[in-house]
Amino acid sequence: MLGTMMDYPLTINHILWRLERLFPRKPVVTQRLEEGQATRSSYGEVAARVHRLASALSRAGIRPGDRVATFAWNTQTHLECYFAIPCMGAVMHTLNIRLFPAQLEYIVNHAEDKAVFLDRSLVPAFEPLIGKVPTVQLVVLMNEGPEPSAAFREAFPQVVDYEEFLRSGDEHFAWPRIDERQAAAMCYTSGTTGNPKGVVYTHRSTVLHSLVAALPDSMGLSERDVVMYAVPMFHANAWGIPYAAALVGASQVFPNRYLDAERLVNLIEREGVTVSAGVPTIWIPILDLLEKTGRKLPTLKRVICGGSAAPPALIAGLAQHGIQLIHAWGMTETSPLGSLCRMRSWLDDLPDDQKLAVRSTQGTIVPLVECRIVDLESGQELPWDGKSVGELQVRGPYITGTYYNDPAASEKFMDGWLRTGDVATIDPDGYIRLVDRTKDLVKSGGEWISSVEVENHLMAHPKVLEAAVIGLPHPRWQERPVAAVVPRPEHKDDITAEELREFLAQRVAKWWLPDEFVFVPEVPKTSVGKFDKKVLREQLAQVAQRWAQS
Ligand code: ADP
């Protein structure tokens, strides 16, 4: 027997409807080039512009299902693209602005993007694609920056200014009826091995993800919040926050391209930001700045931090400033919120150090998603005992079930589960502790060493700002760990490998101690701000050569 409920589609158009009808007065603020200057708008204005944009796209020949790319920083106009493109039936394809030209060329051609919304300041990064992306018919130039050259304008059939493009559209656009399973947005994973892989979100997956992201025990978003994400809008749809914040009517503050600690702190202070989000390498320098200057951020209550493991020292440090760091795990493939760390009521009486240990886990799986861990060799499912280590696998309505046009996709799936490539334990309360990425585990003498755990301990040392641990080939042990350490500037001349080794020896097994500590001015980062261990392995290759010769 079927139920009597309406078969009403879950679409992003509904989020747009709420934003327009319920929250038109709520502010939308974008940081401008000049420090202290901002463009101020509202959801009401954004919604009106979204109508015009959708209509203009339709007049320009964009049809349902067409891919429309963005190549842009975090701004109001990017938010307008987030709504207009999927709500008129096209597919928003956020391009990672930090990729190499060859990767970008592959991605634009693979997705067959028909149009690109391009920030003026990013034209130089897009120029190498001239003549190599034949599907691109329309380039719309957004935001501040120098005008592109005549050669650039001639390289594409149509190049137009964003505001002029908006004027070509109607104030009221008749939204098409959209099937909730239709593609809404797509995002390519950076693909550390092989070519990047395309993940395509549906309207339905986006709405479900937004609801879950906003829940009190998730990001806990409310109409009363002022949200500023320091996650690029090309990184897994800024973790879904633009839609989740709009759904509940929270104001949005856009940092634009200014992601350094000083400017972010200024913006949080000026705009009264209450919730923010970003990878650990965004928060480490912010904590450092707060500590050095004694500045306070009284409005900021919560930061969602993920993308790579949040060091316990960072969690404890921010807590001292009244800022709760909520550790989250996810992947482009999981929309991306997969798990999130909230303290369960029955753990309230734990001593502080054990609470910090819980807060440092990647938390529990989010509603609507199921998880399991599977033995790396036998493929057997493992118990949730907090000890058994296996590959984390997930399934649910906003987990990708395949990759876009990719025949090699099947190896990433197993009996209807997505293989995350992450290695984890799960404890009886469901807290997931990520041990490592499969490819980053250090394999020493037939045993595993968690690079993440060693890094976390190192980053708790008072003289250490950042630390990344990698395994390098070793003639006797297969691999041995090496630590790249960035000292705090005031300790760059008095930090020693001996003291770090001693500090670690009290915290990890002896054979986990890195064979070498290399002091570096910075750890190389990936396009989304994670430690780039591939590049680090290349940079430290001479250590392995030395071992091979000794
Ligand atoms: P990329 O491969 O470009 O990093 P994603 O952003 O999709 O692409 O990265 C997903 C991966 O990031 C996860 O599989 C996991 O390895 C890592 N990750 C995400 N969040 C965390 C976290 N909180 N702790 C440790 N690793 C994390």
Side-chain angles (χ1 to χ4, degrees):
M1 174 179 146
L2 294 178
T4 62
M5 296 300 124
M6 292 183 185
D7 197 5
Y8 194 81
L10 304 177
T11 64
I12 296 172
N13 300 60
H14 172 70
I15 305 181
L16 176 63
W17 182 85
R18 287 180 65 82
L19 176 152
E20 194 169 3
R21 304 307 292 263
L22 301 176
F23 310 117
R25 67 174 78 186
K26 293 302 303 277
V28 174
V29 177
T30 306
Q31 170 73 53
R32 297 188 59 164
L33 171 67
E34 190 94 3
E35 174 58 340
Q37 300 261 330
T39 304
R40 293 183 186 280
S41 184
S42 64
Y43 277 148
E45 266 180 67
V46 166
R49 289 161 61 86
V50 166
H51 273 268
R52 284 190 180 281
L53 180 53
S55 156
L57 280 167
S58 176
R59 285 189 182 160
I62 299 296
R63 297 286 160 256
D66 283 347
R67 270 75 71 202
V68 176
T70 63
F71 196 76
W73 301 101
N74 291 16
T75 64
Q76 177 191 330
T77 44
H78 206 166
L79 183 72
E80 290 162 3
C81 295
Y82 259 58
F83 282 97
I85 298 168
C87 291
M88 58 89 63
V91 185
M92 177 185 63
H93 176 198
T94 47
L95 290 166
N96 182 335
I97 59 178
R98 300 212 179 89
L99 292 184
F100 292 117
Q103 280 173 308
L104 271 174
E105 182 189 332
Y106 171 85
I107 290 173
V108 172
N109 286 324
H110 190 263
E112 298 174 274
D113 294 328
K114 226 169 154 180
V116 181
F117 284 77
L118 174 63
D119 269 353
R120 281 189 173 75
S121 62
L122 291 168
V123 168
F126 201 76
E127 264 168 351
L129 301 197
I130 288 179
K132 294 178 177 160
V133 284
T135 57
V136 176
Q137 298 296 305
L138 166 69
V139 175
V140 184
L141 295 167
M142 304 196 291
N143 296 320
E144 293 168 296
E147 287 305 321
S149 63
F152 183 88
R153 286 184 175 275
E154 280 157 23
F156 298 95
Q158 197 189 352
V159 178
V160 54
D161 167 67
Y162 185 80
E163 297 300 326
E164 196 186 318
F165 191 62
L166 282 194
R167 283 193 289 276
S168 73
D170 263 348
E171 209 171 310
H172 296 288
F173 180 68
W175 301 106
R177 227 185 130 69
I178 287 175
D179 184 312
E180 64 177 17
R181 288 162 304 176
Q182 230 169 282
M186 73 193 302
C187 215
Y188 280 73
T189 62
S190 40
T192 29
T193 52
N195 278 323
K197 292 180 163 50
V199 171
V200 185
Y201 308 112
T202 60
H203 278 263
R204 173 185 154 85
S205 71
T206 307
V207 170
L208 292 174
H209 182 269
S210 307
L211 276 171
V212 169
L215 285 176
D217 279 341
S218 296
M219 298 187 189
L221 299 180
S222 137
E223 180 274 321
R224 289 171 182 273
D225 279 314
V226 179
V227 177
M228 181 208 74
Y229 28 94
V231 190
M233 289 172 86
F234 59 77
H235 188 202
N237 283 354
W239 301 354
I241 305 174
Y243 294 126
L247 180 79
V248 300
S251 319
Q252 297 195 38
V253 174
F254 293 94
N256 208 325
R257 67 188 116 142
Y258 311 107
L259 298 177
D260 60 287
E262 177 83 31
R263 292 203 54 169
L264 286 177
V265 165
N266 292 347
L267 191 61
I268 292 169
E269 207 168 49
R270 236 184 358 253
E271 302 300 334
V273 169
T274 60
V275 180
S276 189
V279 292
T281 50
I282 289 282
W283 301 110
I284 292 169
I286 286 185
L287 174 61
D288 194 45
L289 187 140
L290 296 182
E291 279 173 354
K292 282 213 182 97
T293 59
R295 285 176 74 174
K296 303 259 178 293
L297 292 174
T299 58
L300 186 62
K301 300 289 172 245
R302 286 189 301 287
V303 304
I304 320 302
C305 183
S308 55
L314 177 65
I315 302 176
L318 285 175
Q320 295 274 321
H321 292 265
I323 303 166
Q324 186 189 4
L325 182 149
I326 299 173
H327 195 189
W329 165 87
M331 311 169 69
T332 303
E333 288 85 337
T334 63
S335 289
L337 202 56
S339 72
L340 201 127
C341 193
R342 290 292 196 153
M343 197 56 81
R344 296 291 187 224
S345 56
W346 59 87
L347 301 177
D348 277 351
D349 295 333
L350 284 180
D352 284 351
D353 59 330
Q354 286 180 39
K355 270 197 191 143
L356 180 60
V358 175
R359 289 212 171 283
S360 308
T361 69
Q362 278 70 14
T364 53
I365 200 81
V366 287
L368 307 184
V369 181
E370 291 173 7
C371 64
R372 66 176 188 181
I373 40 171
V374 168
D375 186 84
L376 284 173
E377 264 120 49
S378 70
Q380 292 293 310
E381 196 174 334
L382 296 168
W384 292 18
D385 56 9
K387 293 189 199 82
S388 306
V389 176
E391 181 179 46
L392 181 65
Q393 302 189 346
V394 293
R395 65 178 179 196
Y398 51 82
I399 308 297
T400 200
T402 184
Y403 291 94
Y404 178 65
N405 272 351
D406 189 337
S410 59
E411 69 198 42
K412 291 280 286 181
F413 301 90
M414 180 174 161
D415 317 327
W417 294 79
L418 169 74
R419 306 183 53 186
T420 65
D422 288 324
V423 182
T425 62
I426 306 182
D427 79 5
D429 286 328
Y431 285 93
I432 299 167
R433 191 173 57 83
L434 235 73
V435 174
D436 227 326
R437 282 185 161 195
T438 323
K439 57 182 184 291
D440 292 338
L441 276 171
V442 184
K443 299 161 215 104
S444 173
E447 302 278 351
W448 305 106
I449 297 173
S450 160
S451 66
V452 173
E453 199 175 327
V454 181
E455 283 162 11
N456 280 346
H457 287 304
L458 274 174
M459 284 191 272
H461 191 283
K463 291 187 181 174
V464 175
L465 186 64
E466 282 181 356
V469 171
I470 51 164
L472 287 178
H474 191 280
R476 169 140 182 243
W477 300 109
Q478 185 183 2
E479 277 185 354
R480 286 297 298 154
V482 173
V485 176
V486 183
R488 289 187 182 278
E490 61 277 25
H491 290 294
K492 73 177 185 348
D493 297 322
D494 68 5
I495 194 167
T496 64
E498 288 68 43
E499 63 182 324
L500 295 182
R501 187 169 289 115
E502 222 166 88
F503 181 80
L504 276 183
Q506 292 157 25
R507 291 164 175 84
V508 300
K510 193 149 168 270
W511 60 279
W512 279 37
L513 295 178
D515 282 19
E516 308 224 0
F517 293 83
V518 182
F519 296 106
V520 293
E522 62 180 325
V523 177
K525 311 267 169 26
T526 69
S527 60
V528 290
K530 306 182 190 192
F531 291 157
D532 194 333
K533 298 200 173 177
K534 205 165 114 193
V535 171
L536 193 60
R537 273 185 209 104
E538 285 159 17
Q539 287 181 356
L540 299 183
Q542 83 281 7
V543 174
Q545 282 164 11
R546 205 162 6 88
W547 289 344
Q549 284 153 12
S550 66

